[in-house]
């Protein structure tokens, strides 16, 4: 596909900047620039989803139509920014940020400079990797990216016959955003930037949540540092996975909910909450487990605010009953906005599978089938073990054995299929820096400690915001409980709780900041007071501070090692992006497949095939076929049609093998052979094969 529309990519970027100016909150709002960024991101994200749904319904998902949509959006955003400018002619939108940066450079401590510098170095390194690396995530090769190619080929969102049900059943919100890049640039070179931008969003959001809970500059930097150095975040920020995207949308719900703790929500804030909830639902439904407690927290707070009576900023609304009705109406509005974004996809799922959540195999593979307390306990312990895994093998083995003993004690099989994904087996090694499963023992442990203290002793952490801190900690705890109660353990489960780590990071940062603050105050006290303090208390505090510093240093080291040696995108070592070809980079997870795909594509091209049939299984790679047979030189043809010869969709029959000019296969040779028309010749090399009619 041509990249002739690439210059239009400037439109969403400029429109975003204009919206940051137009949607900035009034004076006195906590971290106003960050809130303006949140509002602008939600507006751009919601618009992008609606454009895809609208054009898809019209069968007009083409580059010119998408380009026109963004030019119209740019005009609207510019008009809003101009209107805001006329209302506040003396306001300089970026002046507060510049002033804060200058103030930081002038007043920052050595520790704050180290925190900020570490974050900045990692973010820039991630940007380099994101731009250099070809998309090579395993799931992306199977279903994330092939679905984008299907949409491009058919110019609409109609479900298609496929052997890989996840292409049509997994919520496609992140892929909707990537589709805009695909149509405007003609390729996937910028795909990794979506998760990189989501990672930046997570850093800004955790810092704002800390500020909302009373944390100062150091606490905000600590929160961003914890998330920024977590290997899972570092690796996913250069990937085409979707977990950082959903984590960012979930954190948007959290920060907007905290804004509603002490004041009534405006219509704009209700729309923003609805947009964030809808973007979570259309991206990855597991993120709703984090959003739901935050929305309940917001709703309860709104009832309390209205029950307290009118304020100077909020006129009377008819008393307590009127306030309750107003809150109920606002809650319904949040759900309606969310349904506007996610509803069309759910309607398509219901039409094809008689259920909005897709086929039974999807509804039964990931969600728990048992919900008794014993099963939930065992599931939670296994999830915690995998999330907190370390390279220390004796510790890993001992903790796994202890969990299995607990499971037997309470009468639960630790490998029970009702609480375990597929045919996987607990335990697994998850400490290695692989984007799909890497553990986060340091950040996770700090979050557990911070969360427990926020629940039990919030006044020691944030004396002026103890109530809000405890309420937020309860919401985070409920989110974690919902996750372990509904999602089966799986080797790749650390990705699925990334949103919970982002939500919990502010609790860890606030505790660390309070710990360091108490230590600094202790040193500043005079000798007489110090003499009265019990030596054991002083010693325990010193040990705690020392351990916290060591853990932060270890977190920094983990982040650096992840971006340097992480898999499957690394800067150093075998498979380095600096020494590996673009095509081979795509196959770093399965290097021997790279030439096999090329070999089969070459044979199909030499046979002159225009219509090619796919034979594959549920977890096979499909994306390389689109690169080789449709758009990639030297074997690609823009007029070539790729169809599936198998279908798991009951109302979407597969293509007839006799209607194609060639067949390409991956995985099981026998499955491919069973679908061949009489007389066709089948050739296989390892994982990949092809078949052509007799000459």
């Amino acid at each position: 596909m041509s990249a002739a529309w690439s210059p239009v990519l400037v439109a969403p970027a400029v429109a975003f900047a204009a919206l940051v100016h137009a949607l900035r909150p009034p004076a006195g709002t906590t971290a106003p620039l960050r809130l303006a960024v949140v509002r602008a991101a939600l507006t751009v994200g919601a618009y992008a989803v609606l454009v895809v749904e609208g054009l898809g319904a019209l069968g007009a998902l083409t580059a010119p139509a998408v380009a026109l949509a963004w030019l119209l959006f740019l005009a609207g955003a510019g008009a809003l920014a101009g209107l805001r400018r006329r209302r506040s002619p003396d306001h300089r939108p970026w002046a507060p940020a510049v002033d804060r940066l200058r103030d930081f450079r002038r007043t920052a401590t050595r520790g704050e400079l180290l925190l900020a510098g570490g974050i900045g170095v990692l973010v820039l390194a991630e940007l380099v990797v994101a731009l250099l690396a070809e998309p090579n995530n395993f799931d992306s090769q199977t279903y994330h990216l092939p679905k984008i190619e299907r949409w491009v080929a058919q110019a609409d969102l109609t479900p298609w016959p496929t052997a890989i049900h996840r292409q049509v059943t997994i919520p496609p919100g992140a892929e909707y955003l990537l589709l805009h890049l695909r149509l405007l640039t003609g390729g996937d070179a910028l795909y990794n930037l979506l998760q990189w931008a989501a990672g930046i969003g997570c850093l800004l959001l955790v810092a704002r949540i800390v500020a909302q809970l009373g944390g100062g500059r150091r606490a905000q930097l600590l929160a961003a540092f914890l998330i920024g150095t977590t290997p899972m975040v570092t690796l996913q920020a250069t990937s085409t996975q979707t977990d950082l995207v959903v984590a960012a949308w979930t954190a948007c719900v959290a920060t907007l909910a905290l804004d509603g703790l002490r004041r009534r929500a405006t219509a704009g804030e209700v729309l923003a909450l609805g947009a964030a909830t809808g973007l979570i639902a259309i991206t990855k439904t597991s993120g709703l487990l984090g959003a739901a407690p935050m929305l309940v927290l917001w709703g309860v707070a709104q009832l309390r605010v209205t029950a307290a009576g009118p304020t100077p900023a909020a006129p009377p609304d008819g008393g307590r009953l009127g306030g309750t009705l107003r809150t109920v109406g606002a809650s319904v509005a949040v759900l309606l906005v969310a349904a506007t974004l996610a509803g069309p996809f759910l309607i398509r799922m219901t039409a094809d599978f008689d259920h909005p959540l897709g086929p039974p195999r999807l509804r039964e593979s990931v969600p728990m089938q048992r919900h008794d307390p014993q099963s939930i306990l065992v599931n939670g312990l296994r999830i915690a073990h995998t999330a907190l895994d370390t390279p220390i093998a004796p510790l890993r083995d001992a903790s796994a054995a202890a969990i299995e003993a607990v499971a037997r004690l309470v009468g639960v099989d630790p490998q029970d299929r009702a609480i375990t994904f597929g045919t996987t087996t607990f335990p697994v090694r998850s400490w290695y820096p692989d984007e799909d499963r890497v553990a986060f023992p340091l950040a996770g442990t700090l979050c557990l400690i911070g969360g427990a203290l926020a629940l039990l002793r919030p006044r020691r952490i944030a004396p002026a915001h103890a109530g809000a801190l405890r309420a937020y900690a309860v919401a985070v705890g409920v989110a974690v409980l919902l996750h372990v109660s509904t999602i089966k353990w799986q080797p790749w489960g650390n990705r699925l709780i990334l949103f919970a780590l982002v939500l919990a990071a502010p609790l860890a940062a606030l505790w660390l900041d309070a710990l360091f603050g108490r230590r600094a105050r202790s040193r500043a006290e005079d000798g007489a007071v110090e003499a009265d303090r019990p030596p054991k208390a002083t010693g325990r505090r010193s040990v705690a501070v020392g351990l916290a510093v060591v853990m932060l240093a270890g977190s920094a080291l983990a982040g650096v090692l992840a971006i340097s040696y992480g898999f499957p995108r690394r800067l150093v070592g075998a498979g380095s992006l600096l020494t590996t070809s673009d095509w081979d980079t795509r196959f770093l997870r399965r290097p021997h497949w790279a030439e096999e795909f090329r070999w089969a594509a070459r044979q199909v091209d030499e046979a002159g095939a225009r219509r090619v049939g796919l034979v594959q299984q549920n977890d096979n790679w499909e994306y390389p076929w689109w690169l080789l047979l449709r758009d990639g030189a030297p074997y690609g043809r823009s007029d070539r049609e790729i169809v599936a010869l198998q279908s798991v969709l009951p109302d979407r029959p597969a293509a007839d093998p006799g209607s194609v000019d060639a067949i390409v296969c991956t995985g099981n040779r026998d499955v491919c052979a069973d679908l061949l028309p009489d007389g066709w010749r089948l050739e296989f090399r390892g994982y990949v094969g092809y078949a052509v009619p007799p000459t």
Side-chain angles (χ1 to χ4, degrees):
M1 179 177 288
S2 171
W5 297 97
S6 294
V8 180
L9 282 176
V10 176
V14 175
F16 175 82
L19 287 173
V20 171
H21 172 57
L23 301 177
R24 71 183 188 276
T29 304
T30 302
L33 181 57
R34 275 169 272 176
L35 178 56
V37 169
V38 168
R39 292 174 173 177
L42 291 173
T43 304
V44 172
Y47 181 78
V49 169
L50 292 175
V51 165
V52 171
E53 289 288 0
L55 294 179
L58 297 173
L61 271 175
T62 62
V66 168
L68 177 61
W70 281 115
L71 292 175
L72 292 174
F73 185 74
L74 175 59
L80 287 176
L83 181 61
R84 189 63 183 268
R85 180 69 175 174
R86 287 194 295 272
R87 290 179 177 178
S88 306
D90 297 330
H91 179 75
R92 295 178 299 159
W94 303 105
V98 174
D99 293 341
R100 288 176 65 87
L101 180 60
R102 289 173 178 170
D103 180 66
F104 177 79
R105 293 176 59 186
R106 185 176 64 256
T107 63
T109 64
R110 182 178 300 175
E112 291 172 340
L113 290 173
L114 287 174
L115 292 173
I119 296 168
V121 168
L122 282 175
V123 167
L124 290 176
E126 291 160 7
L127 176 60
V128 171
V129 174
L131 291 173
L132 288 179
E134 304 294 322
N136 63 358
N137 172 263
F138 195 103
D139 285 347
S140 296
Q141 308 292 335
T142 300
Y143 68 95
H144 286 307
L145 304 187
K147 69 173 67 173
I148 297 175
E149 297 305 315
R150 287 287 181 187
W151 295 332
V152 172
Q154 62 192 33
D156 62 33
L157 302 175
T158 304
W160 52 90
T162 178
I164 304 173
H165 76 86
R166 291 175 294 174
Q167 291 182 1
V168 293
T169 58
I170 298 294
E175 291 87 345
Y176 280 180
L177 304 182
L178 293 179
L179 177 60
H180 291 269
L181 295 176
R182 172 66 174 86
L183 289 170
L184 294 178
T185 66
D188 59 15
L190 301 182
Y191 277 6
N192 293 332
L193 292 184
L194 175 61
Q195 283 259 109
W196 180 79
I200 299 294
C202 287
L203 301 184
L204 297 176
L205 285 159
V206 295
R208 183 169 194 268
I209 290 172
V210 168
Q212 290 173 288
L213 296 174
R217 185 172 68 190
R218 181 176 60 187
Q220 295 173 43
L221 285 171
L222 283 168
F225 184 82
L226 278 177
I227 291 300
T229 56
T230 299
M232 177 67 78
V233 175
T234 302
L235 293 169
Q236 287 225 11
T238 65
S239 168
T240 47
Q241 267 292 7
T242 62
D243 303 287
L244 271 180
V245 176
V246 76
W249 296 139
T250 306
C252 285
V253 171
T255 194
L256 293 170
L258 288 176
D259 278 338
L261 292 188
R262 294 183 177 86
R263 57 181 174 81
R264 297 177 189 173
T266 65
E269 290 168 335
V270 170
L271 290 175
L273 267 176
T277 305
L279 288 168
I280 294 170
I282 195 64
T283 302
K284 182 170 283 191
T285 50
S286 60
L288 294 174
L289 301 175
M294 297 298 167
L295 291 173
V296 172
L297 174 63
W298 174 81
V300 171
Q302 288 296 292
L303 289 174
R304 289 171 58 89
V305 169
T306 54
T311 65
D317 56 7
R320 179 172 296 184
L321 177 60
T324 300
L325 292 175
R326 184 180 186 276
T327 301
V328 171
S331 302
V332 171
V334 168
L335 297 178
L336 288 176
V337 173
T340 301
L341 295 175
F345 170 74
L346 298 178
I347 291 172
R348 289 194 294 274
M349 289 301 95
T350 304
D352 276 290
F353 301 104
D354 298 322
H355 197 286
L357 299 182
R361 65 185 301 180
L362 178 63
R363 303 197 304 272
E364 296 170 2
S365 61
V366 177
M368 294 259 286
Q369 266 88 55
R370 292 181 57 178
H371 300 92
D372 54 284
Q374 300 93 322
S375 297
I376 293 173
L377 171 64
V378 173
N379 195 52
L381 289 175
R382 295 182 306 165
I383 289 173
H385 177 274
T386 305
L388 303 177
D389 188 25
T390 70
I392 306 174
L395 177 61
R396 180 191 317 119
D397 296 340
S399 57
I403 291 172
E404 291 173 336
V406 170
R408 289 190 293 270
L409 182 65
V410 299
V412 176
D413 179 2
Q415 314 301 341
D416 186 353
R417 294 303 106 189
I419 61 173
T420 306
F421 179 83
T423 59
T424 59
T425 302
F426 173 84
V428 296
R429 187 184 69 162
S430 62
W431 66 266
Y432 184 77
D434 183 302
E435 67 172 355
D436 283 339
R437 64 173 63 191
V438 62
F440 30 82
L442 297 175
T445 300
L446 291 173
C447 287
L448 289 174
I449 296 173
L453 292 176
L455 286 171
L456 301 175
R457 307 183 73 177
R459 294 191 181 278
R460 288 181 62 84
I461 298 177
H465 297 77
L469 177 60
R470 175 173 283 167
Y472 180 78
V474 168
V476 174
V478 170
V480 174
L481 180 60
L482 287 174
H483 181 87
V484 302
S485 302
T486 58
I487 305 297
K488 293 178 179 178
W489 176 88
Q490 54 185 279
W492 316 277
N494 290 344
R495 294 192 298 105
L496 303 183
I497 58 173
L498 186 57
F499 75 88
L501 183 73
V502 171
L503 294 180
L507 302 176
L510 287 165
W511 165 65
L512 288 171
D513 183 62
L515 178 66
F516 295 150
R518 288 195 298 273
R519 177 62 177 167
R521 288 193 298 272
S522 174
R523 288 181 173 180
E525 290 175 346
D526 59 81
V529 176
E530 185 67 28
D532 292 337
R533 180 175 289 107
K536 289 185 178 180
T538 303
R540 286 196 300 268
R541 184 173 300 156
S542 298
V543 171
V545 170
L547 288 175
V549 171
V550 170
M551 293 181 75
L552 289 174
S555 186
L557 178 61
V560 171
L561 291 176
I563 196 64
S564 301
Y565 294 96
F567 198 73
R569 291 167 302 281
R570 55 174 52 167
L571 291 172
V572 180
S576 167
L577 300 174
L578 305 177
T579 59
T580 307
S581 69
D582 293 348
W583 183 251
D584 289 336
T585 296
R586 296 181 184 274
F587 289 86
L588 283 175
R589 284 203 178 276
R590 300 291 188 272
H592 51 289
W593 291 355
E595 185 51 39
E596 292 175 8
F597 270 97
R598 273 183 163 170
W599 162 76
R602 182 168 60 249
Q603 305 305 316
V604 168
D605 186 59
E606 290 177 356
R610 194 199 65 82
R611 182 175 165 90
V612 178
L614 296 179
V615 178
Q616 52 200 3
Q617 289 80 57
N618 185 57
D619 206 34
N620 289 16
W621 285 21
E622 180 180 317
Y623 187 55
W625 294 128
W626 291 93
L627 295 174
L628 288 166
L629 298 176
R630 283 272 297 186
D631 298 311
Y635 315 122
R637 286 176 51 179
S638 60
D639 64 338
R640 181 173 284 143
E641 184 181 6
I642 299 177
V643 297
L645 302 184
Q646 307 145 287
S647 179
V648 295
L649 278 70
D651 297 328
R652 310 283 177 180
D656 181 359
S659 69
V660 301
D661 306 317
I663 295 174
V664 291
C665 314
T666 49
N668 192 308
R669 179 188 180 113
D670 293 338
V671 172
C672 189
D674 289 342
L675 290 171
L676 294 186
D678 292 340
W680 281 48
R681 183 182 81 256
L682 175 63
E683 299 286 344
F684 243 88
R685 280 191 183 179
Y687 177 75
V688 180
Y690 79 94
V692 293
T695 57

